[in-house]
Amino acid sequence: DAGVTQSPTHLIKTRGQHVTLRCSPISGHKSVSWYQQVLGQGPQFIFQYYEKEERGRGNFPDRFSARQFPNYSSELNVNALLLGDSALYLCASSSGTGSESPLHFGNGTRLTVT
Amino acid sequence: QKEVEQDPGPLSVPEGAIVSLNCTYSNSAFQYFMWYRQYSRKGPELLMYTYSSGNKEDGRFTAQVDKSSKYISLFIRDSQPSDSATYLCAMSRNQFYFGTGTSLTVIP
């Protein structure tokens, strides 16, 4: 079975630009979560979506938004990019929304903002 | 105070050694505990997933949870160079909280 797939793998953007990151979950998983991982740190929670509805939001500014599609794939959008947005963006899928469903991660999109 | 504390290392051991990785946490409401392995330029890979206090073994890996001390551990027996990676602990209550990761190098 295919795991979580993310695209693109790498991206270089300029301050002020907008970016869209994409994720396809493991087949059968209806929940998708997005995390930001800065070098040397653990992943930080951004959003969780389940059945196209937002189920949780971390402590990130409104420049960050996301959505989930009927096929359970998801997009993360970041507007007005800042240098501090440079990070590895991870998508994770799980079978449910609760803490009992462990997260399965993709390999991430490495975003560099110059 | 962070929800989850993890020593970032780096930790360097000879091949065949027993490795002990640890995390502490502050919130007694955490119910589920996980260990992830992350190779360079890859996403975290789920290694171990436990619910209750006690030990869980899977091959060379043993996860240990002590809820009374708010302390979790991952033991790696007969460590191999392929175990060289960053190990992240994680725990959950409504959402998932991760440690900063411990960088491990196993020297042949």
Side-chain angles (χ1 to χ4, degrees):
Chain A
D1 282 343
V4 177
T5 57
Q6 292 187 245
S7 63
T9 54
H10 297 86
L11 207 50
I12 299 175
K13 290 286 189 178
T14 304
R15 276 177 298 176
Q17 286 188 318
H18 161 270
V19 68
T20 297
L21 311 180
R22 295 178 174 84
C23 171
S24 292
I26 291 171
S27 178
H29 283 189
K30 298 181 178 181
S31 177
V32 169
S33 300
W34 288 94
Y35 285 79
Q36 181 195 65
Q37 187 177 25
V38 175
L39 193 62
Q41 300 294 319
Q44 296 292 313
F45 174 66
I46 309 176
F47 286 110
Q48 183 189 33
Y49 276 78
Y50 181 80
E51 294 277 14
K52 297 177 289 180
E53 289 189 4
E54 183 183 303
R55 291 298 187 96
R57 171 187 281 258
N59 188 24
F60 280 80
D62 292 343
R63 298 185 296 107
F64 289 76
S65 64
R67 56 179 175 166
Q68 187 177 32
F69 299 100
N71 65 354
Y72 305 113
S73 66
S74 178
E75 283 183 354
L76 175 69
N77 295 284
V78 187
N79 291 324
L81 285 166
L82 303 174
L83 295 179
D85 294 331
S86 296
L88 180 67
Y89 287 86
L90 294 163
C91 175
S93 74
S94 57
S95 55
T97 58
S99 302
E100 72 281 1
S101 301
L103 300 174
H104 299 270
F105 286 92
N107 283 327
T109 294
R110 187 163 298 280
L111 173 65
T112 302
V113 182
T114 62
Chain B
Q1 185 183 9
K2 284 185 178 180
E3 299 265 14
V4 181
E5 299 279 357
Q6 183 175 11
D7 185 341
L11 187 61
S12 184
V13 301
E15 183 175 354
I18 296 174
V19 176
S20 173
L21 304 168
N22 310 296
C23 286
T24 59
Y25 60 96
S26 56
N27 194 325
S28 59
F30 285 132
Q31 297 178 304
Y32 298 89
F33 304 89
M34 289 134 281
W35 286 94
Y36 287 84
R37 177 175 62 196
Q38 186 172 23
Y39 291 115
S40 179
R41 302 189 178 278
K42 297 289 187 181
E45 171 194 8
L46 181 65
L47 273 181
M48 301 290 282
Y49 170 69
T50 58
Y51 171 66
S52 58
S53 284
N55 294 351
K56 180 178 180 179
E57 190 174 314
D58 184 1
R60 297 185 295 112
F61 298 91
T62 299
Q64 188 174 82
V65 175
D66 183 348
K67 286 187 175 180
S68 62
S69 301
K70 299 190 183 69
Y71 188 90
I72 69 170
S73 300
L74 178 70
F75 298 95
I76 307 174
R77 291 183 299 280
D78 187 25
S79 57
Q80 302 296 309
S82 58
D83 296 328
S84 298
T86 296
Y87 290 80
L88 296 157
C89 63
M91 42 204 79
S92 61
R93 59 167 178 86
N94 302 323
Q95 67 171 273
F96 290 80
Y97 296 84
F98 288 83
T100 55
T102 300
S103 176
L104 170 68
T105 300
V106 180
I107 302 169

